[in-house]
Amino acid sequence: ETLEGKGCNCIFWSPAGGTIILAALGDSASGTLEFYDVNSKILTIKEHYRANQVLWDPSGRTVCTTVSQPIGGGHFKFAMDNGYILWTFQGKQLSQASFEAFYQFQWRPREELSTKEEITEISKNLKKYEKQFNAFDEAKKRRLRLEETKGKRKSRAEFRATMARLADWRSRQKQERMELLDGYDSEDEGNFSVKEVTIETVLNTKEELIY
């Protein structure tokens, strides 16, 4: 297979295989990143202006592009662009960070990778693992929602406590109110008479002559 007309000066294969990044890196390059899936033939084009490094994580699921200055020091004229962007292997941006001084980005190495037998076992039980991961994600989202609404729930609890305290205070003053009103209980519905009134209003009329 041949990919023609690509303005890249570097290529980076995913450690997991199946995905390649065609990158235009360097000060004079455009910073274009082309994520190409060799199996589905899907091409996703992104950009990280002035990027000078592309670093795959050991699993091949995430990739980092960076703008970093030389470790040796000295003046770096593109310091305003210092930082990194994290992408999925499909080219979806996950996060971005900028730094005044940024020299190096490194992934934490894995102690060991799964064996072929373990990968085969995981593939067979993918649905089971998917349910476990989905349950974990839902629990994490719920914790975040609870944390985000913590202030609202506190205010609601304080309001309800205030209303309960006022209701208790009013209840304890009921006898005193009745004495001031000569025994009249304003909260007794039996002391009220209900009268229903029906008012009919003609909104529109129309006359038709039938011959």
Side-chain angles (χ1 to χ4, degrees):
E1 182 179 353
T2 302
L3 299 175
E4 298 180 350
K6 300 300 178 184
C8 66
N9 52 21
C10 298
I11 60 174
F12 301 89
W13 278 99
S14 164
T19 304
I20 186 174
I21 295 178
L22 312 173
L25 304 181
D27 299 347
S28 59
S30 62
T32 300
L33 306 167
E34 299 183 67
F35 295 76
Y36 183 65
D37 189 320
V38 298
N39 298 314
S40 65
K41 313 302 180 186
I42 294 176
L43 179 67
T44 303
I45 301 177
K46 299 293 182 177
E47 180 181 310
H48 186 177
Y49 186 58
R50 299 199 188 284
N52 51 25
Q53 277 190 311
V54 175
L55 303 162
W56 282 99
D57 90 301
S59 72
R61 294 178 58 84
T62 311
V63 64
C64 175
T65 57
T66 73
V67 178
S68 58
Q69 62 194 86
I71 296 180
H75 176 68
F76 184 58
K77 60 181 178 179
F78 305 123
M80 290 181 62
D81 300 310
N82 278 349
Y84 67 83
I85 299 178
L86 295 180
W87 315 82
T88 68
F89 69 96
Q90 297 169 320
K92 179 182 179 182
Q93 183 173 327
L94 297 174
S95 64
Q96 181 174 3
S98 300
F99 303 93
E100 183 176 348
F102 185 67
Y103 299 98
Q104 190 176 45
F105 182 100
Q106 287 188 330
W107 290 100
R108 179 177 65 86
R110 292 188 171 190
E111 295 183 0
E112 59 181 29
L113 297 175
S114 300
T115 63
K116 290 184 178 180
E117 291 77 11
E118 291 172 335
I119 293 175
T120 301
E121 181 66 21
I122 291 173
S123 299
K124 288 180 179 178
N125 298 281
L126 192 58
K127 290 294 183 181
K128 181 183 72 174
Y129 293 121
E130 183 180 4
K131 291 180 180 178
Q132 293 177 354
F133 292 141
N134 286 341
F136 175 80
D137 290 342
E138 287 300 321
K140 184 177 180 180
K141 289 178 182 178
R142 185 175 183 275
R143 288 196 300 270
L144 289 174
R145 287 196 298 269
L146 290 175
E147 186 63 28
E148 290 173 355
T149 59
K150 185 177 181 179
K152 292 181 180 179
R153 287 184 286 111
K154 181 181 178 182
S155 298
R156 185 166 58 243
E158 291 176 349
F159 174 77
R160 288 175 176 173
T162 300
M163 293 299 294
R165 186 173 64 255
L166 292 175
D168 179 66
W169 174 74
R170 180 175 175 80
S171 176
R172 287 186 280 106
Q173 288 190 329
K174 181 176 181 179
Q175 187 61 37
E176 184 177 348
R177 289 197 306 275
M178 290 179 63
E179 291 176 358
L180 293 173
L181 296 172
D182 296 327
Y184 175 75
D185 185 0
S186 61
E187 297 178 357
D188 187 356
E189 294 184 359
N191 292 327
F192 295 88
S193 60
V194 179
K195 182 179 181 180
E196 293 185 2
V197 178
T198 302
I199 301 175
E200 296 183 357
T201 303
V202 178
L203 299 178
N204 189 19
T205 60
K206 182 179 180 180
E207 293 184 2
E208 291 185 2
L209 297 178
I210 301 175
Y211 297 96

